[in-house]
Amino acid sequence: MRPGAVTSTDYHTAGEPFRIVTAGVPEIAGDTVLERRDTAASSEELDAIRRLLCHEPRGHADMYGCFVTPPDDAEADFGAVFWHKDGYSTACGHGTIALGAWAVRSGRVQAPEDGEHEVVIDVPSGRVRARVGTAGGRVTTVAFANVPSFVAARDVPAAGTPVDVAFGGAYYAFVPAERLGLTVDPGALPDLIDAAREIRYALADAAAVRHAESRLAGVYGVVIHERVAGQTERNVTVFADGAVDRSPCGSATSARTALLLDAGEVEVGEWWTNTSIIGTTFEARALEPTVDGVPTEVAGAAFPTGEHRFDLDPQDPLGTGFVLR
């Protein structure tokens, strides 16, 4: 890797970081974004860039980002291969919101100064559409239409507690905090992480997380949630190996919407509010179900935090970095 060759634009969506790589990545082979994800995961050169940008001292254990790629076909604006400290994910809702804002703000996708414009993005789980709202030339809101969500199973035994499993671009296990004797509060975070890890490991080979496309299978995250009031919930999503989403997690919010609709707790078209462990929010709703599942829309906001140029000194004994947690 040539020092100084990798640049990024960083955003946060509801407090969760998202690092968009803008230069310095070699071409990622593949006809689709899902195939490019496989290429990135098997390429030492590409994975070294992921580690450089995600691991300490340039990143941290909860860092998230993507490589921007060509789309699957001309009907989309671009593609994205999502990554985190442990590898590559199939979906990323907060990243989709950030990418929609970045595409319009950077001029990559032309949009009116006032109104709405759709940014179409191919991701490993399929095609998502970000509806970007602008006012006076500024991005104000982003709502994305996700791939169809669905309920995979109810009351699946996992680490001594029943959980519900649903898909929102990736599989998530859902469990009420009170069932674990916990609350969704920053002070309880170590215990929340421990509980989520146990559940995820227990579901590693569960039938509920098998998918027709094997590369989309497996539990990606565990969502511990509680009802706040009315149509408002609070959650914490622990993904990969103990990483914590600061946002309410967009793809998990889609999956949760399918569960709420299935239980009759929301109606088609009815917005509900999902709150993160730090108090930030997404709004979500289910659209009319189809044979493929429940289309959902998740709305939030993303903000730029900086432009970066990353160096790797060949004499640096830490190389592409480390993960302390």
Side-chain angles (χ1 to χ4, degrees):
M1 184 187 308
R2 183 170 58 85
V6 181
T7 63
S8 77
T9 298
D10 283 17
Y11 272 71
H12 84 81
T13 306
E16 177 71 358
F18 194 70
R19 180 161 284 166
I20 303 166
V21 182
T22 52
V25 178
E27 181 178 351
I28 305 175
D31 293 328
T32 67
V33 173
L34 184 58
E35 290 180 2
R36 292 185 181 98
R37 174 181 179 263
D38 294 340
T39 298
S42 61
S43 165
E44 174 55 35
E45 182 180 12
L46 290 165
D47 204 54
I49 297 174
R50 175 192 65 84
R51 296 194 304 270
L52 181 82
L53 302 182
C54 196
H55 291 181
E56 297 184 57
R58 299 166 188 84
H60 51 79
D62 304 296
M63 193 67 198
Y64 225 111
C66 80
F67 299 137
V68 177
T69 73
D72 292 357
D73 59 50
E75 298 301 314
D77 293 301
F78 55 88
V81 172
F82 300 123
W83 44 255
H84 50 76
K85 76 176 178 70
D86 295 312
Y88 301 84
S89 62
T90 59
C92 180
H94 90 274
T96 299
I97 292 172
L99 283 166
W102 165 78
V104 170
R105 190 174 185 272
S106 66
R108 184 183 180 106
V109 173
Q110 297 299 311
E113 288 200 354
D114 296 280
E116 290 185 340
H117 186 79
E118 186 176 76
V119 178
V120 184
I121 309 167
D122 285 328
V123 303
S125 58
R127 179 160 290 172
V128 296
R129 300 174 183 272
R131 179 165 49 86
V132 182
T134 55
R138 295 180 59 84
V139 174
T140 55
T141 60
V142 181
F144 78 95
N146 201 359
V147 299
S149 298
F150 57 85
V151 177
R154 296 271 190 181
D155 296 324
V156 180
T161 187
V163 302
D164 296 331
V165 178
F167 181 85
Y171 282 103
Y172 293 89
F174 294 82
V175 59
E178 64 180 10
R179 192 176 292 171
L180 302 171
L182 298 170
T183 59
V184 181
D185 181 87
L189 190 57
D191 292 333
L192 291 164
I193 293 172
D194 289 345
R197 274 177 161 160
E198 289 182 11
I199 291 169
R200 182 170 181 263
Y201 296 155
L203 292 172
D205 298 317
V209 296
R210 295 172 189 160
H211 195 280
E213 169 53 77
S214 61
R215 290 173 290 185
L216 301 180
V219 175
Y220 174 62
V222 175
V223 183
I224 301 171
H225 59 89
E226 59 192 13
R227 184 59 59 117
V228 176
Q231 296 297 77
T232 300
E233 291 192 352
R234 177 168 48 236
N235 80 3
V236 61
T237 300
V238 181
F239 64 91
D241 184 23
V244 177
D245 198 328
R246 274 70 172 160
S247 82
C249 186
S251 50
T253 298
S254 288
R256 181 64 180 155
T257 301
L259 284 165
L260 292 173
L261 183 69
D262 178 69
E265 296 183 52
V266 298
E267 298 179 357
V268 170
E270 180 184 10
W271 290 96
W272 68 283
T273 302
N274 205 11
T275 307
S276 74
I277 194 168
I278 66 167
T280 55
T281 60
F282 287 159
E283 304 292 322
R285 64 175 176 172
L287 304 179
E288 194 65 43
T290 70
V291 294
D292 296 320
V294 180
T296 62
E297 193 170 44
V298 179
F303 302 92
T305 59
E307 303 277 342
H308 299 280
R309 181 182 178 92
F310 292 95
D311 293 313
L312 177 57
D313 189 319
Q315 304 303 313
D316 187 345
L318 294 180
T320 57
F322 60 94
V323 177
L324 189 60
R325 173 171 64 76

